[in-house]
Amino acid sequence: VRRFRDLGMMLLASFFYGGGISVIVAFASILAVEFGFTQVELVIYVAVITVTGILGTMIPTFLQDRLGHKKMTIVLLIAWVLTALYIAWISFQHAHAPPNVPEPTWPVWLAGNLLGLGLGALGSANRAFVGFLTPPDRSGEFFGLWGLVFKLAAVLVIPFGYVKDAWGTWQAMIVLAGMLLVGLLLTMMIDEGRGEDSAKLPKG
């Protein structure tokens, strides 16, 4: 990895927003329950996130080569940070709502669809970006390392869960936005052209 500075930076960034993906996978249904979703609504909610996740994988398919890997990833990360802050806001509103007053559920449905799109699109864009920065004759090595980074990123569920239990959901969503923001800043430090040139260097 020392030979491939930008690929190494990409893997480090992947750790932080991979942590964000792990958080959403682990807590999406729990967040919905907090807003009073019934079991039937919860099943539909998870199904909707799954479908929008599938649709989200198509976004980089049509745009990534046109925009560039770095720009595509940055756009998606900005969208994810804003979505996390949006969920923090509706969670704050929910926590401070008057008791026994019905609350609209459409903001949660909107958040779920945004999360689903982000899950699919960011995961797809990330894999393509790693592949772009990886020498063709070492793809097995680096995709194995990328997989390890994403598995390791699941440890970031721990600080999210701790803050959620200790302080509340909206505070935990701020933590999630922070994880994604770190990943965004690291992604902005990648030199896509230099990374492409490094990937073409002879093995050695």
Side-chain angles (χ1 to χ4, degrees):
V1 173
R2 288 195 300 269
R3 282 191 58 207
F4 305 98
R5 174 181 173 184
D6 297 287
L7 179 56
M9 188 67 71
M10 180 77 256
L11 292 172
L12 183 59
S14 299
F15 173 77
F16 286 97
Y17 55 76
I21 291 173
S22 297
V23 165
I24 294 304
V25 170
F27 284 91
S29 59
I30 296 173
L31 295 174
V33 169
E34 290 185 1
F35 284 89
F37 277 39
T38 65
Q39 287 299 314
V40 173
E41 289 175 324
L42 187 59
V43 170
I44 296 173
Y45 184 74
V46 173
V48 166
I49 291 178
T50 302
V51 172
T52 53
I54 294 170
L55 295 175
T57 61
M58 299 171 64
I59 295 173
T61 301
F62 296 110
L63 297 176
Q64 193 151 346
D65 288 331
R66 191 178 308 167
L67 291 179
H69 296 277
K70 180 178 176 178
K71 286 182 180 178
M72 183 80 254
T73 304
I74 287 173
V75 167
L76 293 173
L77 283 169
I78 290 173
W80 253 57
V81 170
L82 293 176
T83 300
L85 293 175
Y86 169 66
I87 298 173
W89 179 76
I90 62 177
S91 296
F92 178 84
Q93 296 289 97
H94 175 72
H96 294 83
N100 303 318
V101 175
E103 296 179 72
T105 58
W106 68 263
V108 187
W109 286 100
L110 175 60
N113 279 280
L114 291 172
L115 289 174
L117 286 171
L119 278 172
L122 188 56
S124 179
N126 180 244
R127 283 189 293 273
F129 200 176
V130 171
F132 177 77
L133 296 173
T134 297
D137 60 349
R138 308 187 84 158
S139 59
E141 296 174 49
F142 281 109
F143 272 102
L145 185 57
W146 171 81
L148 175 64
V149 167
F150 253 78
K151 297 294 184 185
L152 184 61
V155 301
L156 294 179
V157 171
I158 296 172
F160 177 90
Y162 175 80
V163 172
K164 184 178 182 303
D165 288 342
W167 288 290
T169 299
W170 72 266
Q171 294 94 330
M173 294 307 301
I174 296 296
V175 172
L176 173 60
M179 293 179 197
L180 298 170
L181 184 59
V182 172
L184 171 61
L185 294 174
L186 291 171
T187 301
M188 293 174 69
M189 295 169 64
I190 297 170
D191 186 322
E192 189 172 349
R194 181 179 61 195
E196 181 182 18
D197 291 340
S198 295
K200 294 177 180 178
L201 290 175
K203 186 174 181 179

